[in-house]
Structure formats: C-alpha cells, structure tokens
Amino acid sequence: MAEHDIELSVNGTAHELSVDSRTLLVHALRDELGYTGTNVGCESSTCGACTIHLDGEAVKSCTLLAVQADGRKVTTVEGLAEDGTYAPIQEGFQKEHGLQCGFCTPGMMLAANDLLARNPDPSEEEIREAIEGNLCRCTGYQNIVNAVEYAADHMDQEVAADGGSETVEGE
Ligand code: FES
Ligand code: FES
C-alpha cells in the first residue's frame, strides 16, 4: 500500500501527515489528527455524521480519500466556536434542544452552516432540504430546524467556516 505525505489545514491549524492511498478523510481526521467530533456512522455517504467543510463547502468526509484533501482547508465541529464562544449554530442547538444523543449533531451543524453561508435567511423547507442527507435517530428534526432558524436570526452575516489564523503543528 502506497504512503503519501499530505498537508491538511484543519480549523486553521496546518498538519503534515502520511496516509495510505485508501485512507478516508474521516479516518485521517479522527484517527491521525484527533478531530473526533467528526463521527462515523455508515461509511457509505448515507447518514451525514461525518460531514465537514472542505474549502468552505459541506462534504461527507467518508466519501473522500485523505489524499484528495491534500493542501485544502477543512473545518470540523471543533472549529466552530471561537475563543470559547459558541457559534450561532451551536447556540441554536443548545437553546432549541436540537440534540439528544448528539451523534448526528456535528454533521448537522456543518451542513446547516453551509446553507446559512449561501442563504442567510432560509425557509423551513430550505432548511429541511439542506439537512436531508443527515440522519437523526433521536429528535424528529423539528428542534433541529428550530436550531438552524435560531442561528439564522443570530448570525452577523459571517459563518465560522474556515477557522482562524494559520499555525503549523510540529514546527
Ligand atoms: S459516515 Fe459518512 S455519511 Fe455516514
Ligand atoms: S441527536 Fe441522536 S442521532 Fe441526532
């Protein structure tokens, strides 16, 4: 199995790592770099638990190879809060009781932030459409929709999508 040296910028921190050709991005993030907020549910692009942002766009990280993310910017759920302050989408999930077990929540938040970056004032239908690739076993979705609406009402045009300033780990 061929090894590849790649660089990933995750939540504003640059990482250098070696991965197998077949390593999925979700496994590189969780197992190699410790960003365990990104969950693994199905590994077949069905559940959305592994949703992250790649260069600002929501993608399922189980459907990409780590080598495909070489040199690109990743945002995980760990990158949403800034200086210890929750992002509007996190506050929304908290205030509107948008989670129970929380397994789907990181993916839901990243999918929702992608929507809000494109459409800051989405309708309920647009929110439901944006999260239809993210499965929740617990909540019945209404509180999740309420959480996204809360975020839309509380964000100042800016979605925390790409992390902060860049620092290189291990150098
Ligand atoms: S683990 Fe990626 S979509 Fe389910
Ligand atoms: S809160 Fe449990 S799966 Fe969504």
Side-chain angles (χ1 to χ4, degrees), residues 99-116:
L99 68 153
Q100 288 181 36
C101 80
F103 192 78
C104 71
T105 310
M108 287 286 185
M109 288 178 174
L110 274 296
N113 264 11
D114 186 352
L115 168 69
L116 294 173

Side-chain angles (χ1 to χ4, degrees), residues 1-5 18-24 65 67:
M1 184 63 60
E3 282 272 316
H4 305 269
D5 294 329
S18 293
V19 293
D20 281 344
S21 307
R22 66 179 180 181
T23 301
L24 297 174
L65 296 169
V67 291

Side-chain angles (χ1 to χ4, degrees), residues 18-169:
S18 293
V19 293
D20 281 344
S21 307
R22 66 179 180 181
T23 301
L24 297 174
L25 180 55
V26 66
H27 294 306
L29 291 170
R30 288 179 56 87
D31 304 337
E32 305 295 326
L33 301 177
Y35 293 100
T36 53
T38 305
N39 287 328
V40 185
C42 64
E43 288 187 303
S44 59
S45 193
T46 303
C47 74
C50 65
T51 304
I52 57 154
H53 285 192
L54 189 62
D55 291 336
E57 194 176 330
V59 296
K60 292 176 176 175
S61 59
C62 73
T63 61
L64 284 167
L65 296 169
V67 291
Q68 291 175 286
D70 185 19
R72 301 175 71 180
K73 284 187 183 174
V74 171
T75 303
T76 69
V77 69
E78 290 92 343
L80 294 183
E82 281 190 52
D83 300 326
T85 303
Y86 281 157
I89 190 66
Q90 294 173 297
E91 211 175 85
F93 271 76
Q94 183 189 40
K95 301 248 191 233
E96 298 294 335
H97 308 288
L99 68 153
Q100 288 181 36
C101 80
F103 192 78
C104 71
T105 310
M108 287 286 185
M109 288 178 174
L110 274 296
N113 264 11
D114 186 352
L115 168 69
L116 294 173
R118 290 179 283 109
N119 178 0
D121 187 23
S123 65
E124 175 169 348
E125 194 183 346
E126 287 168 330
I127 294 171
R128 288 184 182 275
E129 194 176 316
I131 61 169
E132 71 183 2
N134 294 69
L135 303 182
C136 178
R137 294 177 179 84
C138 306
T139 65
Y141 297 92
Q142 186 57 54
N143 287 359
I144 293 174
V145 171
N146 295 346
V148 180
E149 285 174 340
Y150 177 101
D153 290 343
H154 289 81
M155 49 202 288
D156 28 317
Q157 293 321 330
E158 178 208 351
V159 176
D162 289 319
S165 58
E166 190 111 333
T167 54
V168 177
E169 190 171 85

Side-chain angles (χ1 to χ4, degrees), residues 8-19:
L8 294 179
S9 168
V10 186
N11 305 329
T13 299
H15 297 275
E16 296 172 353
L17 65 160
S18 293
V19 293

